[in-house]
Structure formats: structure tokens, C-alpha cells
Amino acid sequence: MGLNILLTGSSGFLGIRLSEILSKTDHRITALDISNPKKKYKNFEYKIMSINNFLEKHKDSLNKFDLIIHTATVLPFKGKKKDLFETNIVSSLNLIKQVSNLDSVFFVYISSSGIYGKPLDIPVQQSTKYNPLDTYAETKIETEKNLAKYINEEKYAVIRPRTIMGVSRKGIFEIFFKLIKYNIPIPLPNRGRQIIQFVDVNDLSRLILHIGINKISGSWPAGAPNPKSLKAHLDSLGIKLQKKVRYINFNSKIFQIIGTILVSLKLVKFTKWHFGSFPLDFYFDPLWVPDNFEYELNNEEAFFNSAKTYFVKLNNWTIILLKIISHKTFI
């Protein structure tokens, strides 16, 4: 017999993939999001409202759930500071308090690897201290603290994903993919020597469900095996696409300074974390994985799986702008 599952953020990138997987099971899903789903499933009950509104109207029904998967979040480039605070801290805290006394519920919270900022250990381990670089990461840390404060440690799990890849995934690498398509040099801080790690959204979804259904408590990373340097990933991608990848070596400190200026002027959809941690090695201890779970895609496969969906036609003005940016970079 399946479980009763509450999935918050069901219309987000991760929530959509979790929904697709759960639709093929005998679990009964309550999907909660402020946005209408693009696709509906038979074994789902949809609640189009905020978390706080849901709690006001349905708090007495929370005891029917066996598992809560909390993915709902406001991303740093999609909302104001007050929105980050309201959704990522206040709404999460209200939900945590409501389920804190429900012994039947297991709670899975999707946090962020951004809490480590510039990692103080490589590989990042369970003992690695937090070193956040932006407000978004700080909101995630605050909610992790609230979980520890209100819920028994055996009743919840925290998952901290590395850069999430997948079909139609937007992010900093979308820029790189478009530069490659139009043969425009890619500005590489640290000559692309930094070892980075990804996780495919399918594997992340599998990990979440593995931990949630089996009630595996604790804090867990989500990162594909065999991380490589950024340049190695890009070179490999160029070979698969039969395209020459061109580079401009970019001083890491200048990269961070320019990034800080762009962020402060709100000219990019990134935060200080992207520019501060991007030039650095960042990957998890490969032994830090829950029992009986294996990733299906390694880092190279996750990277390519995302890249192949982004070779789209750009308008002439975008191409001109990208070329101007490339010629203005510092070597």
C-alpha cells in the first residue's frame, strides 16, 4: 500500500520531475504550489496556494501524511529579500512547527550546497563548517536550524544538492552552452582547473524518494560521482558536439570583483555565491552516500544531458552582446 505524501513546490523544476516519478507509483500525492501545474496526474490532489494558506485551511489534515517533501523555495534571482525571508524561512518554519508533534510524519527538506559557500574542506564532508556567501544560503541554514530545534532528529532528513542539471535546466552554464554554439570564447576563471560537481535532476529525485520512503534521517549531499575540472567538462562536451570550444583565461579575483558589481547592479540573474565559489574546487566526499543508493549518471553525463537541450538560436543582438563581452574580458 502506498504512502500519503505532501509535495511542496510541485510546479518547480525539481517538483515537476518528482511528480513525474511519483505519478508512476501507488503513492497518494498532495501537490502544493502557488502556480498551476503544466501537467496533472490521476493520483494527485492539487492545492494551488501558498504554504501559509494551506496551513490555515488544512492544518488539521497534516496528520494524514506519512511523508512531506519540502522543495518549495524562492530562488535568489527570482524574488526580493523579503520574499526569500517569507518563503524560505517563515513559511518553512510554520510548516515545521505544525508537523513537529506528528510522530507519523517523516520530513525531507531540500536545502542547498550553497551553505558551504567557499568550502573550508575539499572534498566537503559531514564535518565541514558552513561558509555562506549570499542571503539565499543563509535562509537555508536558518531553516536547517529550525528543523533541528523543533523536530526529532530521527524524523527528518536534509538534502544539499550540487548544481542541478537536466533537460531545460536554466543556470550559469546556459551561458556557456550558447557561447559554444556561436563559437564565442568562454571566459574561464582559474583557467578552468577547478573541479566541480553536478547532479542530474533524475538522480536527485531518486535520492529524495529513497531517503524519504525509507525514512533515512540525517544530512545528505546530492552530487554525481567522478567530478572533473570545468575545462575537462567543456572539452569533452566540445568533442561530443564536434565543436571547437574557445577560451579566454580570466583572473579569478577580477572575475569575483566584476561579478560583485554585476550582482549589486542587478544586471545578472546570479548571486555573490556564483562568482565567489565558481573559480574554486567544490565537490562532496564520495563516501557520503546513504546505504543502498547509487547514482545512475556521473558528472560528465549529467553535464551533457543538460547541455544538449540548449543549442538554440539566439537573435543577432544577443550574439553581438556576447561577442562584446568576450572582447572586453581580462586575460
Side-chain angles (χ1 to χ4, degrees):
M1 185 175 179
L3 303 177
N4 283 316
I5 300 175
L6 173 62
L7 172 62
T8 74
S10 56
S11 293
F13 181 70
L14 175 57
I16 289 173
R17 185 60 190 127
L18 280 166
S19 296
E20 291 173 349
I21 295 174
L22 287 168
S23 70
K24 300 173 184 177
T25 70
D26 62 350
H27 302 306
R28 296 167 298 283
I29 316 302
T30 298
L32 174 61
D33 202 293
I34 58 174
S35 301
N36 281 301
K38 294 181 179 179
K39 184 176 181 180
K40 291 189 175 182
Y41 299 101
K42 292 181 179 179
N43 57 331
F44 279 53
E45 179 182 1
Y46 293 93
K47 302 292 184 182
I48 313 303
M49 61 183 68
S50 69
I51 292 173
N52 285 337
N53 286 342
F54 176 80
L55 292 175
E56 288 176 6
K57 296 179 179 181
H58 305 282
K59 66 179 181 180
D60 293 335
S61 66
L62 285 174
N63 58 4
K64 78 174 185 180
F65 295 111
D66 305 296
L67 172 63
I68 294 176
I69 301 174
H70 185 31
T71 78
T73 190
V74 172
L75 296 173
F77 48 84
K78 287 190 175 182
K80 299 177 181 178
K81 270 192 174 183
K82 66 176 184 179
D83 297 323
L84 286 174
F85 181 80
E86 176 61 33
T87 298
N88 296 2
I89 297 180
V90 176
S91 295
S92 296
L93 176 58
N94 291 339
L95 179 60
I96 289 168
K97 285 182 175 180
Q98 289 293 336
V99 302
S100 60
N101 295 319
L102 302 178
D103 292 335
S104 61
V105 179
F106 190 79
F107 196 102
V108 178
Y109 175 58
I110 313 306
S111 185
S112 169
S113 60
I115 66 172
Y116 297 107
K118 291 183 178 181
L120 301 176
D121 300 309
I122 291 295
V124 175
Q125 304 172 48
Q126 286 181 280
S127 59
T128 299
K129 295 182 179 180
Y130 305 154
N131 189 27
L133 296 177
D134 61 8
T135 302
Y136 178 74
E138 291 170 352
T139 66
K140 292 295 185 178
I141 291 173
E142 186 65 24
T143 295
E144 287 196 25
K145 290 180 178 178
N146 287 332
L147 276 167
K149 180 178 180 179
Y150 290 101
I151 298 182
N152 186 297
E153 62 181 3
E154 296 179 354
K155 292 294 183 179
Y156 75 90
V158 171
I159 300 177
R160 301 167 183 150
R162 283 298 294 131
T163 302
I164 304 173
M165 308 299 273
V167 175
S168 299
R169 177 63 169 171
K170 294 185 180 297
I172 192 169
F173 291 101
E174 180 184 10
I175 298 173
F176 283 15
F177 301 151
K178 290 176 179 178
L179 290 173
I180 293 172
K181 179 176 177 62
Y182 290 94
N183 199 33
I184 298 172
I186 297 174
L188 283 188
N190 196 25
R191 296 182 179 271
R193 293 175 294 191
Q194 62 272 38
I195 298 175
I196 57 178
Q197 190 173 34
F198 311 110
V199 62
D200 186 82
V201 68
N202 293 325
D203 274 335
L204 174 55
S205 299
R206 291 177 53 248
L207 176 65
I208 291 168
L209 294 175
H210 175 76
I211 287 173
I213 292 171
N214 293 292
K215 298 184 177 182
I216 304 172
S217 60
S219 300
W220 301 99
N226 304 322
K228 295 182 177 181
S229 71
L230 175 58
K231 189 173 185 303
H233 278 298
L234 292 169
D235 287 342
S236 177
L237 179 61
I239 292 172
K240 289 180 179 179
L241 297 172
Q242 297 183 332
K243 292 186 69 68
K244 181 176 177 59
V245 181
R246 301 168 60 201
Y247 306 103
I248 293 177
N249 293 321
F250 212 108
N251 181 280
S252 295
K253 290 185 178 179
I254 295 176
F255 179 82
Q256 292 180 47
I257 292 171
I258 292 176
T260 299
I261 295 171
L262 293 175
V263 169
S264 64
L265 296 176
K266 298 182 179 180
L267 296 177
V268 291
K269 292 183 177 180
F270 304 115
T271 73
K272 293 180 181 179
W273 176 79
H274 291 92
F275 293 99
S277 68
F278 189 63
L280 308 174
D281 291 344
F282 196 150
Y283 56 95
F284 286 112
D285 183 345
L287 299 179
W288 189 9
V289 182
D291 291 341
N292 302 315
F293 181 82
E294 292 184 4
Y295 290 93
E296 292 181 347
L297 297 181
N298 61 31
N299 273 272
E300 184 174 322
E301 292 166 333
F303 188 64
F304 181 67
N305 195 35
S306 189
K308 65 185 179 183
T309 68
Y310 274 104
F311 288 82
V312 296
K313 185 177 181 180
L314 300 179
N315 62 54
N316 291 333
W317 284 110
T318 304
I319 295 172
I320 292 171
L321 178 61
L322 289 172
K323 287 183 177 179
I324 290 174
I325 292 172
S326 294
H327 286 304
K328 295 291 183 182
T329 53
F330 295 84
I331 300 177

